[in-house]
Amino acid sequence: MRWPRRPRRPRRSPAATRTPAGPAPSPSSRAPSSSSTSSNGRTRRARERAPVCPARPPAAARPSATASPVSPAPAPREPLTTAPPVKPRPTGLVIVVLAPHDPMSRGQLRRMAELARDQGHEVRWEEARGGPSAPVATIGGLAGPLRRAHRIVIGDPFSRYVQLLLTITRARELVVVDDGTATMEFVAQLARGESLVRWHRRGSRGARDLLFAPVSASARRMLTPNDRRSVEVFTSFTSLPVEPPPGVQVRANDFAWTRSAFGPPRISRGTDLVGTSLVETGVVDPGHYLGAVAELARAHGATRYFAHRRESADKLRRIADRTGLEVVRPELPLEIVARRGPVGRTVLSFPSTVVHTLPLALAGTGITVAVCDIDPVWLTEHASPRAGGFLSEVTDTARDVRRLPASPLSAS
């Protein structure tokens, strides 16, 4: 019995092999397979010779002429490769992300989770704040791993969630990784035996603080080293304002992995300005902050404003309208964005984490990092009495930065 012959496939021209608009194919789908066959040898050879054209983004993702001045950071050009993706070797490290509510913070954490998986780490994304039953489900799912772990690394010792999880673990090694300027306050409060409270919060305690006080006290005892448990602080703040408590080891983070994995960056002639969430935390008056940003941009010829992930959209629109700055909302931490480039030859900032981390991440590039002091008159009446002194410590302990005075800036 003879089967009917299959009809011949129509011949395709080389132009038909161009990648159509839409999502770009994966590297594995672009690579010619050694076991693949083709009914037309010339078509196949033309397809292999034809260049791979990057796909255009969908219409909804392309900026229009009336687009908002607030835009995400430019995405780096992905390399085109025909090699199949190599699965990284598992490292045995499990990273748990307690997902926040803030959309920008969630976005950055998603991108960082991708980088961590690319390094072979396992990432558990926990919607720990997703509803009334979420905390119970999260704690129940993490109780076993926390009890079995020999080493626990935490990123925010002031988080009540983290403090609650610390009461479960029996780890003999605890490591606190750099969580920005809060690391300075953490070491100071631990040395003084005080409750762990964020520096920008006022001293009055509400009912929830009183109910949580026993858990906070237990977490503080867990973060105090003894003969059964070691405590280490891994930080870029090598010039801490106080001596760490006896037994607490401080190890310097010099951003060696960041420098080796990204860059060197392309440096532009302009100046970039780094934003801060001091307005959102109630420390600095919005009017004074807007005036300072406008004066800095005018005096130093800044063209871009890298927004902090917690800055409000309304505030960023006001900055763009008044100053003409291009507002960029980075999808990754600024240290990685700056290493990828492009980045200005001068980077201006108010007292924040980046005045300590950017000089390390950008070491050897010739980029200047400058910090503008906060004038005490910019502080709100609701600011913590500790705020002014803390911001001064952030600036005073920064290395390899140029200081800019706050007095000449407009406060209107």
Side-chain angles (χ1 to χ4, degrees):
M1 179 177 178
R2 296 181 62 184
W3 296 97
R5 295 181 62 185
R6 181 178 299 176
R8 294 175 63 87
R9 296 175 59 184
R11 296 180 63 181
R12 297 168 58 192
S13 64
T17 63
R18 295 173 64 87
T19 305
S26 64
S28 58
S29 64
R30 289 196 298 263
S33 173
S34 59
S35 60
S36 63
T37 60
S38 172
S39 60
N40 190 306
R42 285 179 296 178
T43 302
R44 178 178 177 181
R45 286 192 296 271
R47 181 163 60 251
E48 292 174 350
R49 288 196 303 266
V52 178
C53 301
R56 298 178 65 199
R62 294 196 296 269
S64 63
T66 59
S68 167
V70 180
S71 59
R77 182 175 298 176
E78 298 295 339
L80 298 177
T81 176
T82 58
V86 179
K87 187 176 181 180
R89 181 178 300 177
T91 63
L93 176 65
V94 180
I95 300 175
V96 180
V97 180
L98 304 176
H101 292 299
D102 174 58
M104 290 303 300
S105 298
R106 290 174 67 91
Q108 286 195 5
L109 287 171
R110 288 285 189 191
R111 294 295 305 275
M112 292 303 296
E114 294 174 7
L115 292 178
R117 292 189 180 99
D118 291 343
Q119 298 295 315
H121 308 314
E122 177 187 347
V123 179
R124 292 182 53 167
W125 184 276
E126 298 285 345
E127 292 292 349
R129 299 169 176 87
S133 61
V136 177
T138 299
I139 294 173
L142 296 177
L146 284 173
R147 291 193 182 100
R148 293 190 298 269
H150 177 75
R151 168 182 287 189
I152 297 293
V153 181
I154 64 174
D156 184 4
F158 294 101
S159 167
R160 289 177 174 175
Y161 230 129
V162 171
Q163 293 178 11
L164 183 60
L165 293 174
L166 279 177
T167 63
I168 301 174
T169 183
R170 301 170 183 171
R172 297 183 62 85
E173 298 179 13
L174 290 178
V175 182
V176 179
V177 298
D178 194 353
D179 189 35
T181 53
T183 304
M184 299 169 58
E185 192 69 1
F186 163 70
V187 173
Q189 292 179 5
L190 198 63
R192 295 191 295 261
E194 300 174 351
S195 300
L196 300 179
V197 180
R198 299 188 190 277
W199 66 268
H200 54 77
R201 290 186 58 186
R202 298 185 67 89
S204 59
R205 302 204 301 173
R208 293 180 60 184
D209 294 319
L210 294 176
L211 289 174
F212 199 79
V215 176
S216 180
S218 176
R220 188 175 67 251
R221 288 193 297 270
M222 284 292 298
L223 291 168
T224 302
N226 54 34
D227 56 352
R228 300 184 308 274
R229 181 174 55 255
S230 65
V231 177
E232 178 183 321
V233 178
F234 183 65
T235 176
S236 61
F237 290 81
T238 54
S239 300
L240 294 170
V242 296
E243 287 293 326
V248 174
Q249 302 177 6
V250 178
R251 191 153 59 97
N253 175 20
D254 60 0
F255 282 80
W257 178 85
T258 304
R259 293 196 304 272
S260 64
F262 306 100
R266 181 168 61 87
I267 303 175
S268 64
R269 296 182 180 180
T271 297
D272 291 330
L273 181 58
V274 179
T276 177
S277 61
L278 291 174
V279 171
E280 284 70 18
T281 53
V283 176
V284 172
D285 175 78
H288 286 292
Y289 183 82
L290 183 58
V293 169
E295 184 63 22
L296 275 175
R298 183 199 62 79
H300 297 273
T303 57
R304 291 190 301 177
Y305 180 95
F306 284 97
H308 189 278
R309 65 183 183 276
R310 294 196 183 97
E311 288 189 84
S312 68
D314 178 66
K315 170 187 164 188
L316 295 177
R317 279 193 294 268
R318 292 178 60 194
I319 290 175
D321 292 341
R322 175 166 174 176
T323 66
L325 289 167
E326 176 192 359
V327 177
V328 180
R329 303 205 77 160
E331 296 180 352
L332 287 167
L334 189 59
E335 293 79 10
I336 296 179
V337 172
R339 283 295 303 183
R340 283 180 160 182
V343 62
R345 188 165 297 278
T346 301
V347 179
L348 306 176
S349 176
F350 296 100
S352 68
T353 303
V354 297
V355 303
H356 289 257
T357 59
L358 278 184
L360 296 171
L362 298 174
T365 62
I367 296 173
T368 299
V369 179
V371 55
C372 174
D373 289 326
I374 297 292
D375 193 315
V377 302
W378 301 356
L379 303 180
T380 67
E381 60 180 7
H382 306 292
S384 167
R386 177 84 176 86
F390 179 79
L391 293 172
S392 296
E393 288 178 355
V394 172
T395 302
D396 294 340
T397 55
R399 296 181 176 180
D400 301 323
V401 298
R402 181 160 59 94
R403 296 190 64 166
L404 304 175
S407 52
L409 298 179
S410 171
S412 59

